[in-house]
Amino acid sequence: MSSEPAPTLGPTGGPGAAAARMRSLVAARRGAQLAQGADTEELAAQLREALDGFAALRMHYQAGIEEVRTKVDILRQEFEQIHDYSPIEHVRTRLKSSESLLDKALRTCDELSLPAIRRQILDIAGIRITCSFVSDVYWIAQMLERQPDLEVLQVKDYIARPKANGYRSLHLIVQVPVFLSTHTEHVPVELQIRTIAMDFWASVEHKLKYKYDADLPAHLAGELDEAARLATELDERMGHLREEIRPMPERAGDAHPRGGSGPDLGPVPEH
Ligand code: GTP
Ligand code: MG
């Protein structure tokens, strides 16, 4: 990337604005450089370098997704083999699109550069895990947190403390090493772990938010509120039924392998 000072980044005007803004930034920079006598080949080389860097970044984050996905799949397979049951119902992954990455970079990064994007945007790689029971959500988080090559950078427990709109989910940012031919990249991956009820609610809320933007009619906001309450109640009831099916034995506390330095995600349920 260029060593020029980063352009000042103002707020953007929504989807599509990112691309338009980028075009005008590039045009402004190009105009300034042409005025200074920089030749077209130099500009083309800079552009090529930026595009190569961006493609490499996407490849590293995709590899990060695959590393964590494999860990989740192994836990699922092991459980199915031993217990004939899996605490994991679904796993979905996504790499943030280039358009929304650029949009977020323009909104949130202090400069438009690949190092700033890597440092400041932690949800380029995303994995969503859906479970039947709340206890399984915490269990999966702890199994992953205990793996020595995963570093937990951030935990947001919206189950213990739901958002004001009723959103519940456990969010972790974990950093995973991606081993390349010449070096190792440490890639952050956003994990959202939630029950089926939480996922159902979040998916409907997302669609409504998308449709109405900030102007959700009061009666729909009320319905959503009630649905969030019912989803929480459903999770509690299912939790009781789960204990009927497979009573949880006494737990001997959490034996944290790294001396308790990681986040406290609560005790690990036994299956
Ligand atoms: P970004 O919104 O991605 O910039 O992240 P943040 O720093 O606000 O983090 P947070 O952990 O609160 O949210 C990350 C992601 O969780 C979002 O991108 C959504 O996928 C999901 N999420 C958070 N809050 C809500 C919500 O109120 N409703 C729904 N449907 N999803 C949410
Ligand atoms: Mg996000």
Side-chain angles (χ1 to χ4, degrees):
M1 296 294 281
S2 156
S3 57
E4 283 177 25
T8 314
L9 305 176
T12 55
R21 190 160 172 76
M22 186 63 175
R23 275 194 295 276
S24 71
L25 284 171
V26 170
R29 175 172 295 189
R30 187 169 189 275
Q33 287 182 322
L34 284 173
Q36 287 163 17
D39 66 20
T40 318
E41 273 178 36
E42 166 68 16
L43 287 172
Q46 281 179 17
L47 189 57
R48 213 170 287 124
E49 192 186 320
L51 289 174
D52 286 351
F54 198 64
L57 176 140
R58 291 181 63 76
M59 182 258 159
H60 300 158
Y61 281 75
Q62 183 60 46
I65 288 177
E66 278 155 32
E67 291 284 357
V68 179
R69 163 110 216 197
T70 300
K71 289 172 177 297
V72 174
D73 284 345
I74 290 171
L75 286 177
R76 193 217 289 247
Q77 284 161 25
E78 185 201 13
F79 245 82
E80 281 172 357
Q81 202 224 332
I82 299 176
H83 301 281
D84 219 11
Y85 145 83
S86 170
I88 298 163
E89 295 286 345
H90 306 288
V91 182
R92 267 172 294 167
T93 65
R94 75 102 181 83
L95 184 67
K96 209 177 198 52
S97 72
S98 301
E99 177 74 17
S100 35
L101 180 54
L102 179 58
D103 191 38
K104 189 162 184 175
L106 289 167
R107 266 189 294 115
T108 63
C109 290
D110 52 18
E111 61 171 39
L112 193 60
S113 70
L114 291 174
I117 289 175
R118 282 182 187 273
R119 222 174 28 249
Q120 294 173 338
I121 303 186
L122 301 178
D123 65 345
I124 300 172
I127 301 189
R128 184 172 295 155
I129 302 171
T130 317
C131 311
S132 295
F133 304 108
V134 177
S135 54
D136 290 337
V137 169
Y138 289 102
W139 178 83
I140 290 157
Q142 267 207 346
M143 288 299 106
L144 293 170
E145 196 269 338
R146 285 176 171 179
Q147 302 200 1
D149 56 343
L150 281 188
E151 186 186 352
V152 179
L153 300 182
Q154 193 186 87
V155 180
K156 289 187 191 171
D157 188 346
Y158 295 124
I159 300 176
R161 286 167 300 279
K163 285 195 166 182
N165 63 358
Y167 176 77
R168 292 184 307 138
S169 200
L170 180 64
H171 293 189
L172 273 78
I173 307 285
V174 297
Q175 187 162 266
V176 64
V178 170
F179 298 103
L180 301 165
S181 57
T182 56
H183 68 288
T184 302
E185 286 286 336
H186 294 275
V187 175
V189 177
E190 181 187 76
L191 277 165
Q192 297 180 356
I193 317 177
R194 49 173 77 154
T195 62
I196 296 168
M198 294 173 198
D199 193 51
F200 190 15
W201 184 92
S203 140
V204 172
E205 190 266 357
H206 179 77
K207 289 183 186 101
L208 284 172
K209 202 160 63 183
Y210 188 79
K211 178 166 177 192
Y212 291 98
D213 208 3
D215 306 314
L216 188 65
H219 73 280
L220 291 182
E223 290 273 353
L224 259 185
D225 229 39
E226 176 64 2
R229 198 188 58 71
L230 287 173
T232 306
E233 193 184 316
L234 182 62
D235 276 335
E236 281 165 10
R237 289 195 182 191
M238 290 302 181
H240 295 145
L241 289 177
R242 178 196 180 285
E243 282 169 41
E244 285 298 318
I245 302 163
R246 284 172 287 115
M248 288 193 230
E250 287 294 307
R251 297 172 195 153
D254 178 19
H256 197 294
R258 297 208 297 264
S261 60
D264 181 10
L265 296 170
V268 185
E270 309 275 349
H271 290 262

